[in-house]
Amino acid sequence: MARKTDATPKAPKEPGRMKQMWQVFKMTRRYDKNAVWLMALGFAVPVLVGVALALIFSRDNVFALVMWILAGVLAGLLIALVILGRRAERAAYKQIEGQPGAVGAVLRSSLKRSWRGSEMPVAVNGKTQDAVYRAVGRGGVVLISEGPRSRTNKMLEEERRKVLRILPNVPVTFLSVGPDADAIPLHRVAAKMGRIKPNLTKPEVVAVSNRLTSLSSSPLPIPKGIDPMRMRPQRGR
């Protein structure tokens, strides 16, 4: 009698935490040449400060001397990891910058809790793939264009008229992401939105978001935004 074989293939084993961090580091180093130097500086400064404090306050106490140095090393590791995380996110967004759906990836993965945004645009030009995205937060309604400003200004104005027709007292802000010299870099979109002056309370944000969502048309037939944090580093040729 033939042996029974397991027809269900085993799921590939997920890489360990250290391997994931190494992959992120390699990807970041490939697209951001300054990341290594910034991480080294972020690690070295706390270590030097820890050594200096140890020599000043605990020169005659070996245990305290070791603890000061250890604290500096741990602080250096923490700062280096924080720098790696931020530079890795920036490098990941750099890979998808200029692609359709890039702004949607930012709205899905980088917005603060006080903002509500969708990875699906509210308006799309089928020929040029220019798009307009919408987010709602304490600063009101933000319309973000994806594409050259010369082609997206009209789309932004049309969407603003739609918003003001429904919510005439809610402020509307424009942000532009594209090839223009004064456009906002993709990795700065979330930070730029965070600097908008608050005009709405939290309950008002929920009400405005629900109002706009309920009156929106069906989703547009285009691909969803890319998730830059799930992108794998490209292999060298």
Side-chain angles (χ1 to χ4, degrees):
M1 185 174 181
R3 295 182 180 179
K4 294 182 179 180
T5 58
D6 188 1
T8 304
K10 294 183 178 180
K13 186 178 180 181
E14 292 291 334
R17 181 62 58 85
M18 294 301 297
K19 188 174 182 180
Q20 290 179 351
M21 291 179 62
W22 177 245
Q23 290 175 348
V24 170
F25 173 76
K26 289 194 298 182
M27 183 273 292
T28 305
R29 183 179 58 182
R30 182 179 296 114
Y31 292 97
D32 187 351
K33 303 300 182 182
N34 295 325
V36 177
W37 298 107
L38 290 173
M39 290 177 62
L41 183 63
F43 174 77
V45 170
V47 173
L48 293 176
V49 171
V51 172
L53 293 175
L55 295 176
I56 293 173
F57 297 107
S58 307
R59 180 175 299 180
D60 300 328
N61 189 328
V62 177
F63 178 77
L65 187 73
V66 172
M67 293 303 296
W68 275 113
I69 297 174
L70 181 60
V73 171
L74 293 177
L77 286 173
L78 178 61
I79 293 175
L81 289 176
V82 170
I83 294 174
L84 175 61
R86 293 187 176 181
R87 305 298 289 196
E89 183 180 17
R90 182 172 180 175
Y93 282 136
K94 189 176 181 180
Q95 294 181 62
I96 65 172
E97 198 164 14
Q99 298 183 25
V103 172
V106 175
L107 298 184
R108 178 174 60 183
S109 60
S110 297
L111 284 188
K112 296 182 179 180
R113 293 182 179 180
S114 58
W115 286 92
R116 293 185 168 203
S118 173
E119 62 182 319
M120 298 298 296
V122 293
V124 173
N125 186 322
K127 294 182 179 180
T128 62
Q129 293 297 304
D130 298 332
V132 174
Y133 295 81
R134 185 178 64 213
V136 180
R138 295 287 307 277
V141 177
V142 177
L143 298 175
I144 310 163
S145 63
E146 184 178 74
R149 190 169 297 173
S150 59
R151 298 200 305 245
T152 57
N153 277 342
K154 184 177 179 181
M155 299 171 65
L156 287 171
E157 290 295 342
E158 290 178 354
E159 291 304 315
R160 174 160 64 178
R161 284 195 292 268
K162 292 178 183 178
V163 173
L164 295 180
R165 192 181 305 123
I166 302 168
L167 303 162
N169 297 322
V170 176
V172 179
T173 304
F174 287 170
L175 296 181
S176 176
V177 176
D180 302 282
D182 56 346
I184 302 171
L186 193 62
H187 67 276
R188 296 291 301 168
V189 170
K192 190 72 174 180
M193 293 173 61
R195 294 194 181 99
I196 299 176
K197 182 180 178 180
N199 292 283
L200 303 178
T201 64
K202 292 182 178 180
E204 288 174 339
V205 171
V206 176
V208 169
S209 178
N210 292 339
R211 177 70 171 166
L212 291 173
T213 301
S214 64
L215 296 177
S216 296
S217 58
S218 58
L220 297 171
I222 66 171
K224 294 183 178 180
I226 308 164
D227 190 344
M229 303 313 294
R230 294 183 179 179
M231 291 184 65
R232 296 182 179 179
Q234 299 176 358
R235 296 181 180 179
R237 296 183 179 180

